[in-house]
């Protein structure tokens, strides 16, 4: 049995480890076109901001360690074509400039996403970046040395984390966002406003409703961003306007692409072509609240899909349980989190949804350093079925979102939340935790 894996980060390496552990006789080969495998891309902004020591700290398992486990890791090897019928892939060794044909019995596409690069003039100027992987991070780090002004295009969670990293380096930061608010559709308007306030209080110049038209430069280096609202001068421009699933190989292999634009898979991570699996950011998953196919590319999803694919490719039996749309990010002193649906998303789906908002403190008000926490809880009118929650508050308080996520997995109701025995002591919570108060108010 020869298992070939394309892509060596979260999904690919999780699959490789699982497959090898379950079936030590199988030959497992990973082709990665870059130089890095098995690292936490989620930590990239924190290396730039200085909270994480260096790039190596993000690496979970080195190629040497994987090889010691019996997994063949080929760096700088790009898979350029798949012949599903013949059971072969074409591989370009980027260093040697040679192409070879490699056989497989099972193939996993764990190719992730690529950052959207808008069709602006002069994106080839030095000092213009995206942030997707460690080499991108290293290039940004080099550009930031000696820079004074940074313009971040895009106010999604990666743009927000980058803004914080640049402020930590004492740089002046302008954030340009096309939409009326930052944080995209991750949060409802009222919660996006809180995120924006925190950015502005920490010195980020947030400009929304602004469309970028192109970049300006001098002697090959970027000097600014030309927007409909005027020119923003910048020594470094970081473009964080979203990602798209890398599905070219899947298409070449005749694999079905879903309506979301990502690869359609069943819950064993099998694609529409027998013997071909897909896992991670390039895949759709099923939303357990809406039962719809969605594309929400996040780290835990990628790791778990990889495990499931690894087990199944090695001859075992595992199923991906679906997701509930849980996400969390840091904004300077705050955390913002959501799970399930926002009120706006529920409205768009035609659900009869109702929300309550509660502001309380993260722990007992009389205990020192209590700080505000804002919660929106959303449920289906009439049935009381929980649909989602959004939270903005101090960083330590925000993992509460997991309580609601757990209930959403079991299609829980508001009454279930209201009846829960949640942990209480003054340094951690109020006796009636903010989630219980919200559930009471909604019930
Ligand atoms: P990727 O990590 O994209 O890996 C795919 C690999 O495949 C790449 O190394 C690529 O080089 C390789 N590849 C592609 N095509 C080929 C080919 N043809 N041949 C050979 N190799 C190929 N998620 C969270 O849940 N929480 C967070 O806080 C968070 N923060 C993030 C912050 C940043 C800045 C970024 C960029 C991402 C963040 N994410 C976060 C998302 C998370 O990192 C991804 O969900 C995860 O990395 C996806 O893993 P993956 O293996 O599916 O894809």
């Amino acid at each position: 049995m020869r298992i070939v894996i394309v892509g060596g980060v979260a999904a690919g390496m999780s699959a490789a480890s699982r497959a090898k552990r379950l079936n030590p006789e199988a030959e497992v080969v990973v082709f990665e076109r870059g130089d890095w495998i098995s690292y936490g891309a989620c930590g990239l902004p924190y290396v730039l901001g200085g909270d994480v020591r260096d790039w190596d700290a993000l690496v979970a398992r080195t190629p040497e360690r994987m090889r010691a486990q019996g997994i063949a890791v080929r760096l700088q090897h790009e898979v350029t074509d798949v012949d599903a019928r013949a059971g072969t892939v074409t591989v370009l060794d980027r260093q040697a400039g040679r192409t070879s044909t490699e056989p497989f019995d099972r193939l996993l596409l764990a190719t992730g996403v690529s950052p959207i690069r808008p069709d602006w003039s002069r994106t080839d100027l030095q000092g213009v970046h995206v942030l997707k992987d460690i080499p991108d991070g290293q290039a940004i780090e080099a550009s930031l040395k000696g820079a004074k002004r940074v313009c971040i295009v895009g106010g999604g969670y990666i743009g927000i984390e980058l803004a914080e990293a640049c402020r930590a380096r004492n740089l002046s930061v302008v954030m340009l966002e096309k939409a009326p608010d930052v944080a995209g559709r991750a949060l409802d308007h009222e919660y996006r406003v809180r995120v924006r306030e925190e950015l502005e209080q920490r010195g980020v110049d947030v400009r929304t409703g602004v469309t970028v038209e192109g970049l300006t430069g001098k002697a090959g280096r970027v000097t600014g961003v030309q927007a409909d609202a005027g020119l923003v001068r910048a020594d470094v421009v970081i473009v964080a306007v979203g990602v798209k699933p890398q599905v070219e190989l899947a298409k070449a292999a005749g694999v079905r692409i879903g309506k979301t634009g990502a690869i359609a898979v069943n819950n064993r991570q099998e694609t529409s072509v027998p013997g071909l699996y897909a896992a991670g950011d390039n895949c759709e998953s099923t939303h357990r609240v809406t039962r719809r196919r969605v594309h929400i590319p996040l780290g835990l999803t990628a790791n778990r899909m990889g495990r499931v694919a690894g087990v199944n490719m090695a001859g075992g039996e595992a199923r991906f349980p679906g997701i509930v749309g849980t996400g969390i990010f840091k904004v300077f002193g705050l955390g913002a989190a959501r799970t399930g649906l926002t009120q706006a998303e529920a409205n768009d789906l035609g659900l009869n949804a109702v929300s309550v908002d509660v502001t309380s403190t993260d722990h007992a008000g009389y205990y020192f350093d209590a700080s505000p926490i804002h919660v929106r809880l959303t449920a289906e009118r009439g049935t009381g079925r929980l649909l989602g929650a959004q939270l903005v508050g101090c960083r330590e308080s925000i993992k509460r979102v997991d309580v609601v996520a757990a209930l959403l997995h079991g299609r829980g109701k508001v009454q279930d939340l209201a009846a829960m025995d949640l942990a209480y002591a003054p340094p951690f919570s109020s006796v009636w935790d903010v989630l219980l108060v919200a559930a009471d108010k909604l019930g």
Side-chain angles (χ1 to χ4, degrees), residues 6-7 9-11 32-33 41-42 77 79 110-112 132 157 280-281 298-299:
V6 190
V9 188
E32 166 54 55
R33 70 178 169 205
C42 315
H77 280 65
V79 175
T111 50
K132 168 66 183 66
Y157 82 89
D281 278 8
L298 287 174

Side-chain angles (χ1 to χ4, degrees), residues 6-12 31-34 36 39-45 77-80 110-113 131-133 157-158 161 246 249 279-282 297-300 302 328:
V6 190
V9 188
F31 293 111
E32 166 54 55
R33 70 178 169 205
W36 297 82
Y39 63 90
C42 315
L44 296 170
H77 280 65
E78 179 169 5
V79 175
T80 55
T111 50
V113 289
L131 180 61
K132 168 66 183 66
D133 52 26
Y157 82 89
I158 292 180
E161 290 172 356
Q246 300 217 59
L249 279 180
D281 278 8
N282 58 0
L298 287 174
L300 173 61
I328 189 164

Side-chain angles (χ1 to χ4, degrees), residues 251-262:
K251 281 184 179 165
V255 162
R256 193 167 78 77
I257 306 300
K259 283 198 185 114
T260 64

Side-chain angles (χ1 to χ4, degrees), residues 99-395:
T99 296
S100 62
T101 303
E102 296 273 348
F104 66 82
D105 298 302
R106 303 271 187 278
L107 177 71
L108 175 68
L109 300 173
T111 50
V113 289
S114 53
I116 292 172
R117 293 167 197 264
D119 189 17
W120 299 325
S121 57
R122 317 202 61 186
T123 44
D124 56 336
L125 289 164
Q126 275 179 40
V128 181
H129 299 277
V130 293
L131 180 61
K132 168 66 183 66
D133 52 26
I134 290 179
D136 290 339
Q138 291 171 325
I140 293 175
E141 188 176 41
S143 271
L144 291 179
K145 284 188 183 132
K148 289 199 171 65
R149 291 166 304 195
V150 179
C151 179
I152 295 170
V153 184
Y157 82 89
I158 292 180
I160 290 169
E161 290 172 356
L162 276 165
E164 183 176 346
C166 292
R167 290 296 296 140
R169 299 172 79 109
N170 280 323
L171 297 164
S172 121
V173 180
V174 176
M175 176 180 279
L176 302 181
E177 167 57 55
K178 198 172 183 176
D181 285 326
V182 294
R185 285 174 54 83
L187 303 169
D188 282 328
H189 170 73
E190 295 80 350
Y191 290 73
R192 297 196 295 255
V193 166
R194 296 186 191 288
V195 170
R196 180 184 185 141
E197 279 170 4
E198 179 71 3
L199 286 166
E200 289 178 335
Q201 275 167 21
R202 302 299 186 120
V204 180
D205 178 353
V206 180
R207 305 184 194 173
T208 51
V210 173
T211 301
V212 172
E213 294 165 346
L215 303 170
T216 58
K218 199 172 168 192
R221 257 211 91 80
V222 73
T223 53
V225 177
Q226 185 61 56
D228 56 356
L231 177 71
V232 177
R233 296 208 169 281
D235 314 310
V236 175
V237 175
I238 312 178
V239 182
V241 295
V243 293
K244 56 174 193 293
Q246 300 217 59
V247 295
E248 295 74 16
L249 279 180
K251 281 184 179 165
V255 162
R256 193 167 78 77
I257 306 300
K259 283 198 185 114
T260 64
I263 299 173
V265 284
N266 64 16
N267 61 8
R268 300 183 80 244
Q269 300 304 133
E270 292 165 328
T271 70
S272 59
V273 174
L276 264 59
Y277 293 71
D281 278 8
N282 58 0
C283 277
E284 293 187 333
S285 52
T286 301
H287 200 299
R288 293 172 67 104
V289 176
T290 63
R291 308 236 197 254
R292 286 171 182 245
R293 302 296 287 166
V294 291
H295 178 234
I296 304 179
L298 287 174
L300 173 61
T301 305
N303 279 282
R304 183 174 281 147
M305 282 181 169
R307 279 186 178 196
V308 169
V311 169
N312 292 324
M313 288 192 298
E317 176 59 38
R319 288 178 192 261
F320 185 74
I323 60 163
V324 294
T326 310
I328 189 164
F329 57 92
K330 180 172 178 292
V331 198
F332 294 89
L334 292 183
R338 53 80 47 85
T339 188
L341 303 174
T342 62
Q343 176 69 46
E345 287 168 339
N347 293 346
D348 289 350
L349 290 166
L351 295 169
N352 189 1
V354 56
S355 293
V356 295
D357 293 295
V358 175
T359 294
S360 181
T361 49
D362 66 315
H363 55 257
Y366 56 78
Y367 190 86
F368 83 95
D369 83 351
S371 66
I373 176 165
H374 310 278
V375 172
R376 170 168 289 185
L377 197 61
T378 303
E380 193 171 50
R381 213 187 289 270
T383 67
R385 179 165 73 101
L386 276 171
L387 294 177
Q390 298 160 68
L391 290 85
V392 173
C394 70
R395 183 162 71 91

